[in-house]
Amino acid sequence: MNQSPSGRVIYNPGNVTYEQFSLDLSFPVHRPRKTVIHTAHVFCIVDHKLKALEAQFKELDFTKDNLTQKFEHHTKTLASQAAQDELWTAVLALKFTSMELNILYSYVVEVLICLHTHVLEKLPDLVRGLPTLSSVLRRKVKNKRIRDVWESVLEECGLQEGDITALCTFFIAHGSKSEHYSANVRQMYIRDVPFMITNMVKNQALRDGLLRAIQVIEKGKAVRAPEEQKSSLKELIPSVKN
């Protein structure tokens, strides 16, 4: 306890002097510098994490697109295999007589020979390298020039890849036991072959291929209705990239 000059009693524990007391009151005002730096650091961390998440999402999107493409390709491949299996089943299950099979075989062979001949006419320098139609079909996969000529020949004849697949399947299945009939002989046995095909062949790809083969041989070109869509079998066959 101290007494002021005016006589008042002042409570002053520890006997702190006036100068000391004034010094204690003159401490600088505290500024939150560390808090500002800490907040900026937090924002920086959050920004890095957001960028990392964005990169991860982009990678996931890329992976998803890759998987989607593979799945679609796999689906098309499976659908194509199913269609080909169905085609083979239909070819092997045909109920024609030997004479009727010979007539159909004759049309098929003549169409395949016709296609091969047209390709060689457009590629005279490759005659020795394309001795058969199978060599054309095999080499067109990697040779753009042969592929372009092949597609041009098909268009000229009014045919599509699905038709050729059906005709080749028929040829492989029945070629070894069939006999070629000339046009005159064919007319002697059956006058309306398209009617026979329409009634007896249930598989659409095979039926369309056989009917168009007859049109190519008898009329020079297969005729398609304007509203007719492309063969579903062709759409199921995956395209071959260069």
Side-chain angles (χ1 to χ4, degrees):
M1 301 282 292
N2 293 326
Q3 187 174 10
S4 66
S6 61
R8 292 183 178 180
V9 177
I10 301 175
Y11 177 74
N12 186 6
N15 295 320
V16 178
T17 64
Y18 176 76
E19 289 79 7
Q20 290 175 327
F21 184 71
S22 300
L23 183 62
D24 290 341
L25 292 175
S26 63
F27 62 87
V29 178
H30 175 71
R31 294 180 175 83
R33 184 179 179 185
K34 290 185 178 180
T35 302
V36 173
I37 296 175
H38 177 70
T39 303
H41 181 65
V42 170
F43 278 130
C44 183
I45 293 175
V46 171
D47 185 57
H48 281 302
K49 287 186 176 181
L50 288 176
K51 288 181 179 179
L53 287 173
E54 183 179 0
Q56 290 179 2
F57 276 118
K58 287 182 179 179
E59 185 177 354
L60 288 173
D61 281 341
F62 178 77
T63 304
K64 180 203 69 174
D65 292 340
N66 252 350
L67 290 174
T68 300
Q69 291 178 359
K70 289 181 179 180
F71 176 76
E72 290 176 351
H73 177 74
H74 185 61
T75 301
K76 289 181 178 180
T77 301
L78 290 177
S80 174
Q81 292 176 352
Q84 292 179 29
D85 291 343
E86 184 179 346
L87 176 61
W88 270 100
T89 301
V91 170
L92 296 175
L94 291 175
K95 301 299 181 181
F96 292 117
T97 64
S98 297
M99 180 265 295
E100 291 169 341
L101 281 175
N102 288 338
I103 291 175
L104 294 179
Y105 168 79
S106 302
Y107 281 110
V108 170
V109 168
E110 291 181 15
V111 168
L112 298 181
I113 292 175
C114 177
L115 294 173
H116 183 224
T117 302
H118 286 347
V119 170
L120 296 183
E121 289 174 353
K122 294 177 179 292
L123 298 172
D125 56 316
L126 297 180
V127 170
R128 303 185 94 183
L130 301 172
T132 62
L133 181 64
S134 62
S135 63
V136 174
L137 298 177
R138 185 171 57 253
R139 292 190 58 186
K140 76 180 179 64
V141 175
K142 295 183 178 180
N143 190 308
K144 185 178 184 301
R145 184 184 173 206
I146 297 176
R147 183 166 61 253
D148 290 343
V149 169
W150 171 253
E151 292 174 354
S152 173
V153 170
L154 288 184
E155 185 177 359
E156 291 173 2
C157 294
L159 298 173
Q160 295 178 349
E161 289 287 355
D163 302 324
I164 307 306
T165 301
L167 297 178
C168 288
T169 302
F170 181 93
F171 177 82
I172 294 171
H174 299 288
S176 61
K177 55 186 178 182
S178 298
E179 181 183 352
H180 178 265
Y181 288 172
S182 65
N184 293 333
V185 174
R186 293 197 295 261
Q187 289 296 324
M188 288 175 55
Y189 285 113
I190 301 176
R191 294 192 176 275
D192 196 345
V193 180
F195 179 79
M196 178 187 73
I197 294 173
T198 302
N199 285 298
M200 296 289 289
V201 181
K202 304 304 179 184
N203 181 273
Q204 182 178 351
L206 179 59
R207 181 173 63 248
D208 291 346
L210 292 173
L211 290 174
R212 287 165 191 151
I214 295 174
Q215 290 179 344
V216 171
I217 297 304
E218 295 185 351
K219 301 179 180 179
K221 181 176 182 179
V223 180
R224 295 174 179 271
E227 69 277 3
E228 184 178 357
Q229 300 297 322
K230 291 183 179 181
S231 172
S232 59
L233 181 61
K234 178 187 175 184
E235 295 176 353
L236 293 174
I237 297 178
S239 59
V240 180
K241 296 182 179 179
N242 295 335

